[in-house]
Amino acid sequence: MLNILILGLGQCGNRVLDAVNHEAFGSGGTFAKYYSRQKFPASVKTIAINTAINDLKGLTDTRAKDRFHVPHLHGVGANRTLGKKVFDDNKEQIMSEIDKRGSFELIFIVTSTAGGSGSSFAPLLVKELKKAYNAQIICIAVLPFREEGSIFLQNTAFCIRELVAESPNGILLVDNQYLKKYAGDIKSAYDKINTSVAMRVLFLIEALNSEMLMVTDLGDLKTVMNGGIGIGTMGYYEAGKDGTIKSAILGSFKPSGLLFPTNVYNEGARAMLIIKGDKKYLDLDLITKTVEELSTDVGQVFKGVLIKKGRPKVLSLFTLNSVPELERIYADAADAIRFEMDKREQSKKQLDGAFAHIDDLEPIY
Amino acid sequence: MLRLSHLVVVATILLLSSLIMTAAASSDYGEQIFERNLNVGEGVEIEHSITIEVVDTTEDIVDSAEFCISSPRAFARTVKVFMGDMPTKYETYNGACIYLDVISVHDETVLLMVTGPKGWRVTRYYEAEDAKTESESESAAETVSVPELVITRTLDRNHVEQGETVGVTFKIKNTGNGTASEIKLDEPLLREAYQENCPSNLDDIAAGATERVSYDLKIINTPPGTYELGATLLNCKDESGAAYSFESLSNTLKVTVKDVQVPTLEIGITIESDDNTMICGERFPVTIGIMNTGNATSGRVTIKSHLPDDVRVADGEIDPVYESIKPGDYVEHEVMMIAYEPGKHVIKMDALWADDEVSASAEFWAEQSSLATYYPHILAAVPIGLLLVGIIRRHKEYSY
């Protein structure tokens, strides 16, 4: 059985982690935690790490002992520089808390790239985990709404760069801006995004830990994540009543099922397809044929088939050769930083001009 | 003159008194047997056995007459009866009484009224003076041989227990000058006793001879007490056929019950409770005590219990066996019991030894615990409580 650790960093990471824990209760709803136990498909440990204690208190399905507060008032205020310092100051406690959970073969780090704690902790934590564990480390990086502000954009830019620099086994992008259009209001968008990510993560864990008709394992995952620039995303599709397995596979490549806007057929480097469903729906020949067709466009496609009751569900996981959306983000971030610098310069000049009015004067009482 | 009038008044009073007494006598002293003038020396025989002879008369301020009364098995007795006095009582041997009342005395004649048991009649009037005259004339002519028996009765013990035998010996000595013949011995009976070999007819006893006769008096079921053994009566005749009667002195015999050595057990049951009310399902102590109140050590004593179906022994031996219990000893054993059903329960215990047994019983009430009323609520509350505890624990587990 795989030993898996899921770390939720910062407010966003905590929420996604809480959604994973909630989904692990199954279909019990809000009160499931009062009468049921989480049923992870593998040996899964979760830790929510945050400097803001209120964010930790806001979690509902994560056990108290799985919430770790890094003490620094009530957060670092989206200041990554401060966040890094806080991490360095509390690095040993954080690693000790992780170490209590045992050893792992696969570690997920879920974080927002825009915030303070998560975005600053994530690259440093990857570095520490790589030193401490011989495990695959997958970062699930959540990109912010673009209108959230220039600080979030610049945090995203620097966070992703630092993450890539620390070379985790892979970075899976989740774009709030992209997914918002499928949700509606902000609140339900957040909930839906968190749930979507949670379902995909649990699907992947189940596939990696189960005996399958066609096998994908941790090694395949590593190979997939080594493809392209090591950055990718996930897609998902659940077949309708009359849908075929082929349509379900192709559906998982569609934009509506992806967590990050990309054209898989053009930009995909490697992919992994995990197909789950009742045996009567799973035509292996058709699956093989479809996968072969996809391979001509996407490159290497690993496939796994998991026999479970229900209509076919397909999880797709890609790495990309190029990420145009990231380029746009970085451009916007650069503009935002410059704009911020200019504005600060002007403000400073304006303030200095104001002070100049009283340069030769002294207060009279 | 004064003296004469005085006498007349006294005489009148006495006469009236005698009339009143006569009237009273007829009711309180039985029925009249006879009323008749008798001269000195004359006699009356009643029921062929009782004789009353006028011995003397006296005329004085209060007139009186003297009588000699005799009856079988009783000494002849001389009594003086005053006119106007209460009738004089004479008790015959068999306990029946007659009453003598002098109505009037004149010269040597007395008007005598005798009352007694209903149906008694005068069987003979006679003149004793004539017989005496004849007897004197005969004795003058020749020496008369008369037997005189002296009877002495001895008991070999004066204190006897039930079931034992008393040896009775008669020493009969003829101190007269004539042979006693046709001697009949009449020995009084003692209640619930048996006279073994007691002779009723004895051989003739010559003048100066002494005879010894004995028999066994077996005391069978004579109730304990001190008894006066009545006089033994000897009736005999002399050579001429004249009858004589002699009697011994009475004896005292004390009869007691033989002290039997037997154990006597008493059993008691003590339920330790203020009001003999127990709670169903709760243990309560019961003490069974056995005491030997007899005067002998018992043999093996087996205790046997009789419990209601819904009363069980929770702890202890309820049917122990005691090898023996000494006189005055008390043994007890305690058991813990449980009553399962409400209501009245009776515990019965038997103590069995030799061929005897004794029983005791004790009753108590059992009632449901007041807590039992709330059992349904408690049963309902327990899972709810556990559920709440579980929810609270889970809530705390997920609260930060």
Side-chain angles (χ1 to χ4, degrees):
Chain A
M1 180 175 279
L2 277 177
N3 293 306
I4 297 169
L5 174 67
I6 306 175
L7 298 170
L9 308 181
Q11 185 189 60
C12 172
N14 291 169
R15 296 281 173 85
V16 173
L17 181 73
D18 207 40
V20 170
N21 279 321
H22 180 76
E23 289 299 314
F25 279 114
S27 56
T30 309
F31 298 105
K33 65 181 177 184
Y34 291 115
Y35 60 84
S36 181
R37 285 281 174 195
Q38 289 165 322
K39 298 176 189 70
F40 285 109
S43 170
V44 176
K45 302 287 191 302
T46 63
I47 308 175
I49 300 172
N50 207 332
T51 53
I53 196 164
N54 285 337
D55 290 342
L56 290 172
K57 285 180 178 176
L59 305 181
T60 56
D61 294 293
T62 303
R63 290 185 298 181
K65 71 183 183 69
D66 291 334
R67 304 180 205 183
F68 184 74
H69 178 229
V70 180
H72 189 273
L73 298 177
H74 291 280
V76 294
N79 186 336
R80 293 190 72 248
T81 306
L82 181 58
K84 288 177 189 176
K85 185 178 181 306
V86 171
F87 181 86
D88 281 336
D89 291 344
N90 296 278
K91 184 169 62 183
E92 288 179 2
Q93 288 92 320
I94 293 168
M95 292 308 293
S96 171
E97 191 65 28
I98 293 168
D99 196 45
K100 285 179 191 171
R101 268 73 177 173
S103 61
F104 311 99
E105 287 87 45
L106 177 61
I107 299 173
F108 289 100
I109 297 174
V110 187
T111 181
S112 159
T113 56
S117 302
S119 68
S120 58
F121 280 21
L124 300 174
L125 195 54
V126 169
K127 184 181 176 182
E128 295 300 322
L129 288 171
K130 283 179 73 174
K131 280 196 267 181
Y133 298 96
N134 181 24
Q136 286 194 57
I137 301 170
I138 307 290
C139 290
I140 299 173
V142 181
L143 307 179
F145 296 114
R146 306 295 183 267
E147 62 269 24
E148 281 186 295
S150 61
I151 291 179
F152 290 154
L153 271 179
Q154 73 175 30
N155 279 352
T156 298
F158 287 102
C159 173
I160 290 176
R161 191 176 74 177
E162 288 169 15
L163 273 177
V164 171
E166 294 299 340
S167 302
N169 293 88
I171 300 170
L172 297 174
L173 295 177
V174 179
D175 192 352
N176 281 350
Q177 183 71 33
Y178 174 68
L179 294 171
K180 182 186 171 187
K181 63 185 175 186
Y182 297 109
D185 62 290
I186 295 291
K187 171 72 174 64
S188 57
Y190 278 133
D191 290 343
K192 191 164 183 178
I193 292 165
N194 294 341
T195 303
S196 298
V197 173
M199 281 175 58
R200 284 161 173 77
V201 168
L202 290 174
F203 199 147
L204 178 60
I205 290 171
E206 184 182 11
L208 293 174
N209 194 62
S210 301
E211 290 183 5
M212 304 170 77
L213 196 60
M214 291 181 172
V215 179
T216 53
D217 56 19
L218 206 54
D220 296 337
L221 178 66
K222 188 175 183 181
T223 303
V224 171
M225 296 312 294
N226 280 341
I229 55 173
I231 296 174
T233 188
M234 290 187 284
Y236 177 81
Y237 190 84
E238 185 171 341
K241 193 182 289 183
D242 301 320
T244 63
I245 190 65
K246 182 176 182 178
S247 65
I249 292 170
L250 297 178
S252 71
F253 283 62
K254 288 180 180 175
S256 60
L258 298 177
L259 297 177
F260 180 78
T262 185
N263 185 335
V264 179
Y265 296 103
N266 294 334
E267 295 158 4
R270 290 174 186 168
M272 176 183 277
L273 280 171
I274 301 163
I275 303 152
K276 184 168 76 172
D278 200 296
K279 198 172 182 180
K280 65 183 178 184
Y281 299 116
L282 305 181
D283 183 342
L284 292 181
D285 290 338
L286 185 58
I287 291 170
T288 306
K289 191 177 176 184
T290 306
V291 170
E292 283 173 357
E293 288 171 6
L294 284 171
S295 296
T296 57
D297 296 323
V298 180
Q300 176 66 43
V301 177
F302 293 88
K303 61 180 181 297
V305 177
L306 190 60
I307 306 296
K308 287 273 179 173
K309 281 185 179 178
R311 287 201 291 272
K313 300 182 181 78
V314 180
L315 175 73
S316 55
L317 190 148
F318 314 98
T319 47
L320 305 169
N321 285 318
S322 63
V323 193
E325 182 62 24
L326 270 186
E327 286 182 23
R328 281 190 286 275
I329 290 172
Y330 272 86
D332 290 345
D335 289 344
I337 292 167
R338 287 190 196 99
F339 177 76
E340 193 74 20
M341 285 173 65
D342 291 344
K343 199 174 175 182
R344 183 174 290 187
E345 191 67 28
Q346 286 176 8
S347 299
K348 190 170 183 309
K349 283 179 182 174
Q350 192 177 20
L351 190 61
D352 288 344
F355 291 159
H357 288 291
I358 58 167
D359 276 350
D360 302 328
L361 301 175
E362 291 293 328
I364 298 170
Y365 301 107
Chain B
M1 190 65 187
L2 183 65
R3 181 181 174 87
L4 183 61
S5 65
H6 192 146
L7 285 173
V8 171
V9 169
V10 170
T12 305
I13 292 168
L14 288 174
L15 182 61
L16 286 171
S17 300
S18 92
L19 287 173
I20 292 166
M21 292 306 292
T22 304
S26 63
S27 59
D28 297 337
Y29 305 111
E31 294 193 350
Q32 182 177 312
I33 298 172
F34 75 90
E35 183 178 340
R36 176 177 177 143
N37 281 319
L38 293 173
N39 296 320
V40 174
E42 289 182 342
V44 176
E45 184 185 76
I46 300 169
E47 293 292 310
H48 301 289
S49 59
I50 302 167
T51 58
I52 304 169
E53 293 176 8
V54 181
V55 177
D56 195 12
T57 59
T58 305
E59 287 182 293
D60 202 343
I61 295 173
V62 179
D63 297 339
S64 63
E66 197 173 3
F67 303 94
C68 177
I69 311 171
S70 67
S71 66
R73 300 187 188 181
F75 290 113
R77 181 179 157 197
T78 304
V79 297
K80 191 169 188 176
V81 181
F82 290 88
M83 190 180 76
D85 204 352
M86 299 283 284
T88 298
K89 178 182 176 184
Y90 174 80
E91 186 174 350
T92 63
Y93 174 76
N94 62 5
C97 296
I98 60 174
Y99 299 90
L100 281 65
D101 192 7
V102 173
I103 306 301
S104 65
V105 176
H106 180 69
D107 203 6
E108 288 190 341
T109 302
V110 58
L111 177 58
L112 175 66
M113 182 177 74
V114 175
T115 59
K118 185 179 180 182
W120 281 26
R121 294 290 177 266
V122 174
T123 53
R124 184 165 67 99
Y125 291 101
Y126 63 90
E127 288 186 16
E129 196 62 35
D130 297 342
K132 188 177 176 183
T133 307
E134 283 177 15
S135 175
E136 283 175 352
S137 61
E138 284 176 11
S139 65
E142 58 179 348
T143 304
V144 178
S145 297
V146 177
E148 185 70 35
L149 299 179
V150 176
I151 179 169
T152 306
R153 180 177 61 191
T154 54
L155 310 180
D156 64 355
R157 66 180 79 178
N158 294 320
H159 182 197
V160 66
E161 290 180 344
Q162 280 182 346
E164 291 183 333
T165 301
V166 180
V168 182
T169 303
F170 300 106
K171 178 184 173 187
I172 305 165
K173 184 175 183 180
N174 188 350
T175 58
N177 57 359
T179 300
S181 58
E182 297 181 38
I183 305 170
K184 294 187 184 303
L185 187 143
D186 189 0
E187 176 73 347
L189 292 171
L190 184 64
R191 185 150 59 115
E192 299 284 334
Y194 172 66
Q195 295 170 337
E196 188 176 62
N197 300 325
C198 180
S200 56
N201 298 310
L202 302 180
D203 295 336
D204 294 351
I205 301 174
T210 302
E211 289 291 333
R212 291 179 188 276
V213 179
S214 61
Y215 76 95
D216 290 335
L217 178 63
K218 294 196 169 180
I219 308 300
I220 300 170
N221 283 321
T222 305
T226 302
Y227 293 88
E228 184 78 17
L229 202 57
T232 304
L233 189 67
L234 280 177
N235 292 312
C236 65
K237 291 183 179 176
D238 61 9
E239 292 168 351
S240 62
Y244 300 88
S245 183
F246 307 95
E247 63 182 16
S248 70
L249 297 173
S250 60
N251 294 80
T252 300
L253 182 64
K254 186 177 182 183
V255 178
T256 56
V257 177
K258 192 169 185 177
D259 190 11
V260 182
Q261 297 287 310
V262 287
T264 305
L265 299 187
E266 291 180 1
I267 184 169
I269 304 170
T270 306
I271 299 173
E272 291 180 20
S273 167
D274 292 337
D275 55 359
N276 267 11
T277 302
M278 307 301 161
I279 303 298
C280 288
E282 285 189 5
R283 294 154 67 110
F284 60 93
V286 176
T287 305
I288 297 102
I290 301 104
M291 186 168 187
N292 186 351
T293 57
N295 54 7
T297 300
S298 73
R300 175 185 286 248
V301 179
T302 304
I303 307 301
K304 185 171 173 54
S305 60
H306 306 277
L307 300 181
D309 290 341
D310 50 356
V311 175
R312 307 277 166 79
V313 176
D315 190 20
E317 172 61 56
I318 194 169
D319 294 331
V321 175
Y322 298 101
E323 288 304 320
S324 65
I325 301 174
K326 291 178 180 174
D329 275 7
Y330 173 78
V331 293
E332 67 175 28
H333 60 282
E334 183 179 292
V335 293
M336 300 299 289
M337 291 189 177
I338 297 177
Y340 291 96
E341 295 295 331
K344 183 181 176 184
H345 302 287
V346 178
I347 298 171
K348 185 169 177 280
M349 303 293 298
D350 294 337
L352 312 169
W353 77 101
D355 294 330
D356 210 345
E357 68 175 80
V358 65
S359 298
S361 64
E363 65 181 43
F364 67 91
W365 283 87
E367 57 186 33
Q368 293 282 11
S369 165
S370 55
L371 200 61
T373 313
Y374 299 102
Y375 281 166
H377 303 83
I378 292 168
L379 287 173
V382 166
I384 292 170
L386 290 173
L387 188 62
L388 280 173
V389 169
I391 289 171
I392 291 166
R393 284 183 62 185
R394 279 295 178 90
H395 183 72
K396 288 180 78 174
E397 197 176 340
Y398 286 90
S399 294
Y400 188 76

